[in-house]
């Protein structure tokens, strides 16, 4: 699965801190269309959390913190960095951690 599969969660697991990490697998180069796809994928993940579907799909998530993490193939551009910064602020305010990492 990947960022292009808009209707699903790519990966879910628990990190060493006990946080449930929902990972977006992002193999695309950065452009405006990419940012739109990423925004839609993040919205899918937030809906998955807010609806409680996460607890049905992954029962070990009960009572834990959540993080949405993007695993990028390419280093973000300046506009992508701005977008990711905005996502961090908004998603953190919703009580969910947010981050990204580049894995070339």
């Amino acid at each position: 699965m990947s960022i292009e599969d808009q209707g699903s969660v790519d990966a879910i697991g628990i990190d060493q801190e006990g946080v449930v990490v929902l990972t977006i697998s992002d193999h695309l180069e950065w452009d405006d269309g990419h940012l739109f796809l990423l925004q839609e994928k993040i919205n899918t993940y937030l809906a998955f959390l807010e609806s409680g579907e996460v607890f049905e799909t992954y029962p070990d998530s009960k009572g834990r913190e959540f993080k949405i993490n993007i695993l990028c193939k390419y280093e973000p551009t300046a506009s992508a960095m701005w977008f990711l910064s905005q996502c961090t602020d908004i998603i953190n305010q919703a009580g969910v951690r947010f981050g990204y990492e580049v894995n070339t």
Side-chain angles (χ1 to χ4, degrees):
M1 290 186 226
S2 75
I3 186 174
E4 295 173 310
D5 186 6
Q6 292 288 304
S8 65
V9 172
D10 299 340
I12 187 168
I14 298 174
D15 70 9
Q16 65 276 10
E17 297 176 4
V19 175
V20 177
V21 180
L22 292 81
T23 301
I24 296 173
S25 179
D26 188 346
H27 64 285
L28 301 176
E29 293 190 43
W30 294 96
D31 62 24
D32 291 340
H34 179 185
L35 294 178
F36 177 76
L37 281 176
L38 185 55
Q39 179 179 350
E40 291 301 309
K41 187 73 169 191
I42 291 169
N43 287 338
T44 296
Y45 277 47
L46 290 171
F48 179 73
L49 293 173
E50 291 171 358
S51 70
E53 185 179 350
V54 65
F55 302 120
E56 296 169 22
T57 304
Y58 198 74
D60 288 344
S61 65
K62 291 181 180 165
R64 297 181 185 267
E65 290 185 64
F66 294 99
K67 178 180 180 179
I68 296 173
N69 191 57
I70 305 168
L71 185 57
C72 308
K73 181 175 181 178
Y74 299 100
E75 194 70 41
T77 61
S79 61
M81 290 297 296
W82 179 86
F83 174 80
L84 293 169
S85 173
Q86 296 300 305
C87 288
T88 300
D89 292 344
I90 293 167
I91 293 169
N92 286 175
Q93 288 176 11
V96 177
R97 297 183 192 183
F98 181 81
Y100 75 94
E101 55 189 281
V102 179
N103 189 10
T104 56

